[in-house]
Amino acid sequence: MRRLLQARYVVPAVLAGCVGMVGLLGFSPGAAQAVDGPSTTTPVPQLTSPPLPTPIGQPTAPSASSVLTYRSPSNQTGIFYTDLPAAFIAPGQALFASNCSSCHGQDANGATGVAPNLQRLGAGTVDFWVSTGRMPLANAGVQAIRKPPRFNRLQTLEIAAWVQSLTPGVGTKVPLVGTGSADLEAGNTLFTLNCAACHTITGSGDALMGGAYAPGLHLATTTQIVEAIRSGPGNMPRFGPGNITNTQARDIAAYVQGVIQHPSNPGGFALGGIGPVGEGFVGLLLGVGILMLVCFWIGERT
Amino acid sequence: MIDKSLRWIDDRLGIAKGGRTFLDKIFPDHWSFMLGEIALYSFVVLLATGVFLSLYYIPSANEIVYHGSYLPLHGQRVSEAYASSVSLSFDVKSGLLMRQAHHWAADIFLGSIAVHMARVFFTGAFRKPREFNWIVGVSMLILGIVNGFLGYSLPDDLVSGTGIRIAFSIVESIPLVGSYLAFFLFGGNYPGNGVIIPRFYILHILIVPLLIMVLLGAHLGLLVKQKHTQFKGKGKTEHNVVGSPMFPTFMAKTTGFLFMSTAAIFLLGGFAQINPIWQFGQYEPFQISYAVQPDWYMGWLDGAARIMPSWEWVGWGHTIPLEVFLPAVIFPGIIFNILILWPFIESRHTKDLAYHNLLDRPRDRPKRTAAGAAMLMLLGMTFFASSTDVMANFLELPLKSVLWFFRFAVIIAPIIAYFITYKICNEMRAAEGIGKRKRAQVVLRSSTGEYTTVDSEPRPGDGYEELEAIPVPTYIDLVPPELVTGAGVRRVMR
């Protein structure tokens, strides 16, 4: 017994035992409790965004949020497509002329080989491309990328209003999305069915064939989600009201915002949400690696 | 009193003698001999956590309506297997910890087997008389991979269901018998009539673990019977084993290691999320998510299947989908056959039929080491190819380019690895004095302020100044003729 106690391995043994016990006791209660499904009622998203450096063009008096909330019905759930006020059109034209017309042309009818025709697309489509920062285009890659938007909310809507005014009533309008009392379960099913094939089930995005990729959905606002569904940007298919009704689009948007962007996600660090690739690295490097170091510590090294 | 009862038992069972041999077993102290223990102890954790999980998991494909505490799933129709796995994670106290620890333990189990196997391979510990134990080890690896796949499939979530779907196509791709075999295994055409889950369950919790345990017993039994190998060194010969006895030293050490391994696995289980099935949702045969990969130990198979061009063989009214059959059946078949047969392939090549209890340094066997490196490179490349989509996404490259890169890499990289390793081994062997301990230098300052260095006196009892030279064949193909005279030349009773 004396010899046993003298053995220099007793210290590591006791140490490890303690750590193991702490591991067992410390986490067992937490694991079962740290669970709250995301709340079913998510607040109606704000239509204002933080002020950004003002580009060329004069902001007009009425604020974007006042106009839009004024026009949205009192019942706050569902999707409502708004007509933008006529006062937006003139400043929008100025903004478009100085920021977009070099590629899309003075009348927004595009230029072959440079940029597509924007007429008949509607205000919602323009809003999506500008508010996600895709436009103005920075570099002509395979796919326009999401980046911090150049324009604030009001200026964005002004540009959208002007493009819409070229073909009144045609194309996707700007949606107002109220996700109060949205059906997250339906959203889950619809998302898995329609979106997960490209955006992955955790919404972290993935590469598609032909150099394209489906972006992660962690930054998109509910408005942008509905606009994406209705307008089908780039390689994404367009889902009309026949495929996905307005209620369903609202449920998807609520699911993306409530569950994908704010997952109730017990179990520790999510390791990038990219599945077994990340897990494999952690298991091999951290798990096996640390235990090999332990071998190295308690073993002889000649 | 205790003495008396022990004697009573010994008189009848005669365990004292065996127990003595066991307690006196000598374990070499080198750290790399403990790698296999990681596997042993993660297997213990696997069994313990697995028993816990089996208390709550329901192996049934019956559809029920989910009413657990994970809200987004509320009211959805899911299989009982999926519902019970989600409830296990959310509603059972410490259930999620156990589930995650079980999964991490599986990853670590197979990872440590791979590392342990690499040690055995590169040091030549598989040579006569230990070929059997090598084969037992490879069999456990294969069974471990199979069981990992079976377990991964049990929660019946979207990701694992995709795996089962792929497994079905793989079985189906075997010429002639494929479709019959697949229908037999899955009880009908895919997705089966709900028999897959219960069948996988029985295999996963009973049959395969039992096989592993039997093999594990054989593995350790052979280890005790044949005794450990050891590295060359002062006082270590082919005829002895130098190390610590089982009791008390090794016992203390290995018990400590058991605790450490358990701790590491449970720390990962508590802190690092693995396989969050609640995010994936229930598996439906018509749904698919991108970024679906199997666990890492299946990665090389998945990668091989991904980079395979889509070829097909059509003839005599049959179609053989080569794009599945070659990477998923033939490729692993070849790999595992090479692994199992390696001891015989090598001894055939070297004509070395002697007993070996002393290990090689990898550099002393350039060809074997290079072959091992090439194999690791091949598996590594196919492994990385299983994340082509994740890579394309991270590096913002087109998926096609990544795919083509790997198609070339799996062929070229192993060849390059072979020659580079071969070269490095030869260079290292040629370098003088590697592995020898340097004599300390003494710096003296003279009265005029001048500095000189002289060699120090060798310290008394300075044991291993130079490693004892032991005549061993240096090249895998250059065995000294006196060793080639026939079987059992250097047979020793250790």
Side-chain angles (χ1 to χ4, degrees):
Chain A
M1 199 56 212
R2 266 282 276 302
R3 267 170 76 203
L4 183 67
L5 284 178
Q6 277 166 0
R8 69 189 164 106
Y9 312 111
V10 170
V11 181
V14 171
L15 251 172
C18 295
V19 176
M21 283 299 137
V22 171
L24 268 170
L25 298 177
F27 299 112
S28 20
Q33 284 164 8
V35 178
D36 274 314
S39 69
T40 340
T41 46
T42 26
V44 179
Q46 291 287 306
L47 280 157
T48 40
S49 54
L52 286 143
T54 315
I56 321 118
Q58 291 292 312
T60 31
S63 80
S65 57
S66 70
V67 169
L68 289 174
T69 39
Y70 161 65
R71 285 175 176 264
S72 71
S74 52
N75 178 356
Q76 287 285 293
T77 186
I79 296 179
F80 305 99
Y81 297 90
T82 54
D83 292 314
L84 296 167
F88 280 16
I89 295 175
Q93 180 166 21
L95 281 168
F96 191 92
S98 45
N99 291 293
C100 321
S101 58
S102 56
C103 297
H104 289 284
Q106 287 298 332
D107 299 325
N109 52 4
T112 325
V114 181
N117 185 354
L118 302 183
Q119 292 186 6
R120 312 185 68 80
L121 289 181
T125 315
V126 176
D127 180 38
F128 174 85
W129 285 79
V130 178
S131 69
T132 59
R134 285 181 168 77
M135 289 295 139
L137 193 67
N139 58 330
V142 185
Q143 185 172 321
I145 51 165
R146 187 184 177 107
K147 52 186 188 298
R150 168 98 70 89
F151 306 95
N152 65 29
R153 193 81 195 103
L154 177 61
Q155 294 164 327
T156 307
L157 290 175
E158 286 170 350
I159 300 175
W162 179 72
V163 176
Q164 180 78 76
S165 74
L166 301 172
T167 52
V170 184
T172 311
K173 292 180 182 173
V174 176
L176 288 170
V177 188
T179 49
S181 76
D183 185 351
L184 284 181
E185 291 87 62
N188 183 351
T189 317
L190 289 162
F191 184 85
T192 319
L193 213 56
N194 295 296
C195 321
C198 299
H199 290 284
T200 78
I201 194 83
T202 53
S204 47
D206 203 354
L208 303 174
M209 283 316 270
Y213 68 95
L217 297 182
H218 294 289
L219 295 173
T221 65
T222 45
T223 312
Q224 289 164 354
I225 294 164
V226 173
E227 284 167 352
I229 293 175
R230 287 289 179 249
S231 69
N235 288 308
M236 174 167 157
R238 202 172 76 84
F239 299 88
N243 302 96
I244 293 181
T245 65
N246 282 339
T247 324
Q248 289 175 328
R250 175 206 60 184
D251 294 344
I252 294 178
Y255 176 76
V256 172
Q257 192 190 46
V259 180
I260 292 206
Q261 298 181 348
H262 305 100
S264 104
N265 214 1
F269 299 109
L271 311 181
I274 51 169
V277 177
E279 293 164 4
F281 272 109
V282 171
L284 291 186
L285 294 183
L286 266 181
V288 181
I290 286 181
L291 289 176
M292 279 174 74
L293 285 181
V294 173
C295 288
F296 203 64
W297 177 34
I298 62 180
E300 201 172 71
R301 283 152 263 179
T302 40
Chain B
M1 175 63 208
I2 294 176
D3 214 44
K4 216 167 144 198
S5 45
L6 284 182
R7 181 143 310 153
W8 188 90
I9 295 175
D10 190 39
D11 283 347
R12 276 149 193 85
L13 301 176
I15 49 171
K17 192 157 158 284
R20 191 78 251 162
T21 342
F22 177 67
L23 290 183
D24 283 347
K25 168 152 178 57
I26 299 293
F27 288 84
D29 289 321
H30 195 264
W31 68 272
S32 66
F33 284 71
M34 319 248 339
L35 294 176
E37 272 161 61
I38 308 179
L40 180 62
Y41 295 139
S42 36
F43 186 65
V44 172
V45 174
L46 276 173
L47 290 182
T49 48
V51 168
F52 181 92
L53 297 184
S54 70
L55 300 179
Y56 300 98
Y57 174 77
I58 304 171
S60 150
N62 283 348
E63 277 217 341
I64 55 163
V65 177
Y66 178 81
H67 282 303
S69 55
Y70 185 63
L71 290 184
L73 276 179
H74 249 243
Q76 288 197 25
R77 300 190 64 79
V78 295
S79 72
E80 247 177 310
Y82 182 70
S84 60
S85 310
V86 173
S87 305
L88 180 60
S89 314
F90 284 88
D91 303 323
V92 175
K93 225 180 172 66
S94 74
L96 183 58
L97 175 72
M98 288 295 182
R99 230 198 87 221
Q100 298 203 133
H102 192 71
H103 203 138
W104 282 121
D107 275 12
I108 290 176
F109 176 60
L110 286 153
S112 51
I113 290 184
V115 179
H116 170 63
M117 204 168 137
R119 200 280 288 165
V120 168
F121 179 85
F122 286 113
T123 58
F126 55 82
R127 289 172 303 173
K128 188 175 174 185
R130 296 185 176 77
E131 299 98 327
F132 260 130
N133 230 8
W134 169 262
I135 295 177
V136 170
V138 177
S139 315
M140 281 196 285
L141 171 69
I142 300 174
L143 287 174
I145 293 178
V146 168
N147 217 27
F149 171 76
L150 293 174
Y152 194 64
S153 308
L154 288 182
D156 200 23
D157 58 283
L158 181 59
V159 175
S160 73
T162 313
I164 302 185
R165 169 72 254 206
I166 294 171
F168 184 81
S169 321
I170 291 176
V171 178
E172 224 182 359
S173 78
I174 302 173
L176 302 180
V177 294
S179 33
Y180 301 102
L181 201 59
F183 274 55
F184 168 70
L185 286 176
F186 289 77
N189 198 357
Y190 189 81
N193 325 316
V195 302
I196 304 174
I197 296 273
R199 283 187 186 183
F200 276 21
Y201 185 64
I202 288 297
L203 284 171
H204 178 76
I205 69 156
L206 185 68
I207 298 177
V208 183
L210 206 63
L211 286 176
I212 294 184
M213 271 196 272
V214 169
L215 289 176
L216 189 61
H219 203 63
L220 299 182
L222 277 174
L223 179 82
V224 173
K225 173 132 179 41
Q226 298 180 326
K227 305 202 167 59
H228 266 82
T229 50
Q230 58 190 351
F231 281 107
K232 281 170 240 166
K234 180 98 177 168
K236 298 178 183 170
T237 70
E238 291 277 8
H239 316 272
N240 66 5
V241 196
V242 180
S244 321
M246 179 74 193
F247 186 84
T249 320
F250 190 76
M251 196 93 103
K253 192 154 128 179
T254 198
T255 313
F257 200 44
L258 166 67
F259 286 146
M260 293 243 185
S261 313
T262 317
I265 292 170
F266 272 90
L267 282 177
L268 276 177
F271 279 119
Q273 188 186 62
I274 188 163
N275 204 12
I277 47 166
W278 53 91
Q279 289 178 15
F280 303 150
Q282 153 82 18
Y283 177 62
E284 300 290 351
F286 51 85
Q287 287 174 355
I288 181 125
S289 159
Y290 244 62
V292 169
Q293 274 100 9
D295 263 356
W296 76 267
Y297 42 84
M298 301 276 289
W300 55 287
L301 284 174
D302 183 51
R306 280 182 191 219
I307 57 178
M308 183 73 196
S310 48
W311 294 339
E312 251 179 19
W313 183 86
V314 186
W316 299 312
H318 288 279
T319 309
I320 300 176
L322 291 180
E323 75 231 287
V324 183
F325 183 58
L326 287 186
V329 182
I330 297 292
F331 175 62
I334 292 177
I335 297 281
F336 284 133
N337 270 307
I338 292 181
L339 285 185
I340 289 182
L341 296 179
W342 182 264
F344 310 107
I345 299 176
E346 185 180 307
S347 69
R348 184 138 210 206
H349 183 64
T350 57
K351 315 239 172 352
D352 177 4
L353 300 173
Y355 274 71
H356 290 284
N357 291 318
L358 283 178
L359 296 176
D360 299 322
R361 286 188 307 179
R363 74 183 79 146
D364 291 333
R365 294 281 183 277
K367 280 194 181 171
R368 178 205 294 147
T369 307
M375 175 66 99
L376 284 182
M377 190 55 109
L378 173 65
L379 294 180
M381 278 297 150
T382 45
F383 173 67
F384 282 117
S386 79
S387 51
T388 39
D389 54 337
V390 176
M391 262 181 231
N393 205 22
F394 266 14
L395 306 176
E396 303 193 357
L397 285 172
L399 192 56
K400 263 245 157 64
S401 332
V402 180
L403 227 79
W404 274 103
F405 169 78
F406 276 108
R407 280 181 189 161
F408 283 108
V410 284
I411 298 171
I412 296 171
I415 299 176
I416 297 179
Y418 184 93
F419 285 110
I420 291 184
T421 317
Y422 189 79
K423 184 86 186 128
I424 292 179
C425 289
N426 274 339
E427 296 283 325
M428 279 176 78
R429 270 163 16 95
E432 271 298 315
I434 280 189
K436 285 182 195 160
R437 181 168 148 183
K438 277 190 197 151
R439 179 84 68 78
Q441 302 270 298
V442 180
V443 181
L444 299 174
R445 184 175 188 264
S446 74
S447 52
T448 55
E450 193 186 357
Y451 288 95
T452 46
T453 43
V454 291
D455 281 355
S456 66
E457 292 288 313
R459 273 168 286 155
D462 210 354
Y464 34 98
E465 257 222 322
E466 289 198 359
L467 293 183
E468 202 173 71
I470 291 159
V472 281
T474 46
Y475 268 99
I476 195 169
D477 48 346
L478 286 182
V479 178
E482 69 269 18
L483 294 180
V484 191
T485 42
V489 184
R490 291 165 69 196
R491 170 168 209 152
V492 286
M493 303 310 293
R494 295 221 296 167

